[in-house]
Amino acid sequence: MSTAIKAKYDEAKSVLEAAGFSFIDYCSTDDPVVSYPSTLRSSAIAFWELEYHLENNLGLDINTFDVLLNGNYCFGTTYCPVRGWFSANVDGCSDYRDLNQTLIDAYLGDIPAQRSNNYNEYFDTYSVDLLMGPTHYCDDVLWTGDMSLNCDNGRYTNGSCMSNCHSLAVRGSRDKMFSKAKFVVPIGLTEAGEPMSLHFMTRAGPRNPTVPAIEWVYDEEGPKTWNLEEIYMIKRITQVLADAGMVRADAPMNFISGLL
């Protein structure tokens, strides 16, 4: 992360430690992967979920591919939702043809349950209540940087500002399949004059589960109350930081220019 962001992050951590919060600094290097059936494409599930949502939740009789094609817009080099399905060298229709009950069953049970267990292992091993980190690592995080392949004032020249400047936790690319609460707490400007926030995440599922993850991973009511205790923790954390002068502050507007 940049020097300015690290300094602001360390300042916030020191304020919280002085207020009685304790930290576990161990960073796990283990990255367990729970794979889907190897002969199938995971993106087939996205087609199925969109189709189900359109028909059953919205009550719309709309072709799934029409929706995808009308939403196929790319913002820079990082965020391009369906580029992989409709690029010149990929047959997007094959993703949908790969859909079958085996894949559906895996994504409605074993896969999110196993990924929840992997994620919760850190909470259980070190008895932590929350994960904390900076929301971003770069001083300047702009779509224009992503588009021009010049992120963070030249720090990265390969584009992908979203990937280079944000953690997996903020991007949600590894933890989007199971329930947990995420909080963002603004703490002011860094010494570089850019806004800075802290990012918090709770464990997946209930705090003290009495049943295996496979039984709660698709619970729609539980998430409404599972993280009430953590909400009060975040409220106290926010107040402690505010008492130390670490509150939201306005920064100069980053206008997008030179694109039109």
Side-chain angles (χ1 to χ4, degrees), residues 51-208:
E51 186 176 67
Y52 182 92
H53 179 63
L54 290 171
E55 179 179 348
N56 295 279
N57 296 337
L58 300 181
L60 300 175
D61 183 18
I62 300 177
N63 183 279
T64 307
F65 282 92
D66 286 342
V67 175
L68 289 172
L69 289 171
N70 276 285
N72 187 22
Y73 301 104
C74 296
F75 299 88
T77 60
T78 302
Y79 187 70
C80 194
V82 290
R83 176 176 53 195
W85 297 336
F86 298 104
S87 60
N89 60 347
V90 174
D91 177 10
C93 295
S94 66
D95 282 345
Y96 195 73
R97 287 196 297 266
D98 273 343
L99 181 67
N100 63 35
Q101 195 60 47
T102 299
L103 190 62
I104 292 174
D105 290 343
Y107 270 87
L108 287 181
D110 291 340
I111 292 177
Q114 291 177 41
R115 290 183 179 178
S116 297
N117 290 332
N118 290 344
Y119 172 79
N120 281 340
E121 186 175 349
Y122 191 92
F123 289 84
D124 295 333
T125 301
Y126 299 101
S127 299
V128 297
D129 294 303
L130 295 165
L131 300 182
M132 184 184 94
T135 53
H136 54 283
Y137 303 142
C138 305
D139 292 326
D140 293 312
V141 186
L142 308 173
W143 283 122
T144 46
D146 201 80
M147 295 171 183
S148 63
L149 305 183
N150 185 23
C151 298
D152 202 23
N153 291 321
R155 185 178 173 201
Y156 299 104
T157 57
N158 63 339
S160 300
C161 292
M162 179 65 75
S163 301
N164 288 323
C165 295
H166 297 87
S167 69
L168 288 171
V170 171
R171 286 152 50 197
S173 54
R174 297 287 184 89
D175 65 337
K176 57 189 175 185
M177 294 186 61
F178 49 85
S179 297
K180 97 289 300 164
K182 294 186 177 185
F183 307 90
V184 173
V185 179
I187 58 174
L189 304 181
T190 67
E191 58 190 31
E194 296 295 335
M196 169 75 182
S197 297
L198 297 177
H199 183 253
F200 296 89
M201 294 171 61
T202 70
R203 67 178 293 118
R207 283 181 61 86
N208 298 299

Side-chain angles (χ1 to χ4, degrees), residues 192-243:
E194 296 295 335
M196 169 75 182
S197 297
L198 297 177
H199 183 253
F200 296 89
M201 294 171 61
T202 70
R203 67 178 293 118
R207 283 181 61 86
N208 298 299
T210 57
V211 295
I214 192 68
E215 295 188 29
W216 55 253
V217 73
Y218 273 96
D219 187 335
E220 296 185 3
E221 293 299 318
K224 297 177 182 179
T225 57
W226 282 345
N227 303 118
L228 291 178
E229 189 168 344
E230 287 91 341
I231 290 175
Y232 287 106
M233 291 180 191
I234 295 297
K235 182 178 180 181
R236 184 186 168 216
I237 287 170
T238 302
Q239 189 60 56
V240 168
L241 292 170
D243 290 344

